[in-house]
Amino acid sequence: MIDRFRAVRRLLAGLLAALCLSAGALAAPTLWEVRDGQGVLRAYLFGAIHLCHAACYPLPAGVEAAFAAAERTAFELDVSDPSLPQTLLKAGLLPPGQTLKSLMPADLYAQLHDAAKQVGMPVSRIQAMQPWFASTLLMALAASEAGFSTEAGVDGVLQQRARQAGKPVLALETPARQIAALSGGGERAQQAALRQTVDLVAGGQMGAYLDRMVDAWQRGDDAALQALMVEGVDQAAVAPLIAALIDARNLEMADRLETLMAEPGVLFVTVGGGHLVGELGIPAQLAARGWQVVRR
């Protein structure tokens, strides 16, 4: 059992970025070029999927060519940070004296209880967790049982390849910033997001759900990806969480990218696909600031 939970902690470290609802109609995953006012290429923006398996590979030739041509890389997080798992675990616990049972409706807690048992997670452990962390852990375990892993996630694979190739690996965010986003939105939004995960686990649908996510990602189907992000969710309830997880971070990551693109060397930027879509997506944010942003 101890080895099982050590493996879960490693998986959770990679899932921190993944569970920011990052989930985008073309025939390949989303890839953008960003050029400055003089038309000089400064970056590629690639929309990745964080949980995957062998079916995600090989990546399209255009993506591989852009990755090879780039001199620097940037990702949401540096997943090699050794403090990341412990930071996540510490932030994911409730204050002493609080339990999930006391914080949520009885019906949701009953479903959570059953879902935890279904994936082999002791209910005593779930009781002490923040709602977002319980959701993260349930998804991690259910995804693993369905054959998905962060080790096969596209951003993790590319980050490892960048290090092997000697390309600088830059982080767009800190673990603390992502944890703040994951835990945001208020109680109602947190419960709505947790209910989505619980429903997928309890219904044995996590594998099928992630298969559809991978399919939409491979087709570059933005609309399908956006729909999957909120499938089965009370959208009015979860809206503040989406704003914290996606919209606010898009603005901040665009700020960070402008700083990085002012430095020498073309960037290959890998973020969850959900950050590259819509009027508030990173490409739209950069275009509004005068950058030339074109989807390839």
Side-chain angles (χ1 to χ4, degrees):
M1 181 65 72
I2 292 175
D3 288 342
R4 176 179 174 82
F5 285 107
R6 284 176 180 164
V8 169
R9 284 197 291 270
R10 289 195 297 271
L11 180 57
L12 285 170
L15 273 174
L16 180 55
L19 291 181
C20 289
L21 297 186
S22 299
L26 299 180
T30 307
L31 180 67
W32 298 78
E33 287 184 355
V34 183
R35 297 178 181 271
D36 63 22
Q38 288 70 49
V40 177
L41 178 65
R42 300 305 306 141
Y44 297 100
L45 304 179
F46 179 48
I49 192 164
H50 301 292
L51 282 164
C52 208
H53 44 52
C56 285
Y57 305 95
L59 296 174
V63 174
E64 289 287 4
F67 180 78
E71 298 156 276
R72 302 177 295 151
T73 63
F75 300 85
E76 291 178 40
L77 282 180
D78 179 355
V79 297
S80 70
D81 183 346
S83 70
L84 183 55
Q86 189 59 37
T87 299
L88 180 58
L89 287 167
K90 183 177 179 180
L93 297 179
L94 288 167
Q98 289 189 9
T99 66
L100 273 181
K101 186 176 183 179
S102 67
L103 294 178
M104 63 180 54
D107 68 315
L108 178 56
Y109 178 76
Q111 292 174 310
L112 174 63
H113 180 280
D114 292 345
K117 291 174 62 177
Q118 190 169 325
V119 297
M121 183 67 185
V123 177
S124 60
R125 289 179 178 267
I126 288 283
Q127 276 277 25
M129 294 177 184
Q130 299 278 357
W132 64 267
F133 190 60
S135 180
T136 301
L137 183 55
L138 285 175
M139 186 174 186
L141 291 170
S144 180
E145 289 182 351
F148 290 79
S149 71
T150 56
E151 286 81 2
V154 174
D155 52 339
V157 168
L158 288 177
Q159 190 165 142
Q160 182 179 36
R161 285 177 54 188
R163 294 186 190 283
Q164 291 170 345
K167 297 177 188 285
V169 173
L170 308 167
L172 300 179
E173 297 180 306
T174 65
R177 177 65 189 95
Q178 288 206 352
I179 288 169
L182 281 166
S183 58
E187 182 178 319
R188 184 181 177 218
Q190 286 288 320
Q191 291 181 5
L194 176 60
R195 194 179 293 275
Q196 180 196 40
T197 302
V198 166
D199 287 346
L200 287 169
V201 173
Q205 295 298 309
M206 186 62 74
Y209 175 79
L210 292 173
D211 280 336
R212 288 187 288 134
M213 187 76 76
V214 170
D215 177 67
W217 170 76
Q218 288 179 320
R219 291 184 287 107
D221 191 337
D222 294 359
L225 283 172
Q226 288 180 294
L228 283 164
M229 285 165 54
V230 293
E231 183 175 281
V233 178
D234 180 339
Q235 295 190 32
V238 83
L241 181 56
I242 296 290
L245 285 170
I246 303 295
D247 300 342
R249 293 173 59 233
N250 286 351
L251 177 61
E252 294 166 8
M253 286 193 281
D255 289 342
R256 170 76 168 141
L257 286 174
E258 285 203 287
T259 298
L260 294 177
M261 289 189 295
E263 299 170 1
V266 175
L267 272 172
F268 187 94
V269 181
T270 305
V271 295
H275 292 291
L276 302 185
V277 302
E279 295 179 356
L280 299 178
I282 293 173
Q285 297 276 2
L286 293 175
R289 303 176 190 197
W291 295 88
Q292 300 176 33
V293 188
V294 179
R295 188 164 177 171
R296 295 187 63 183

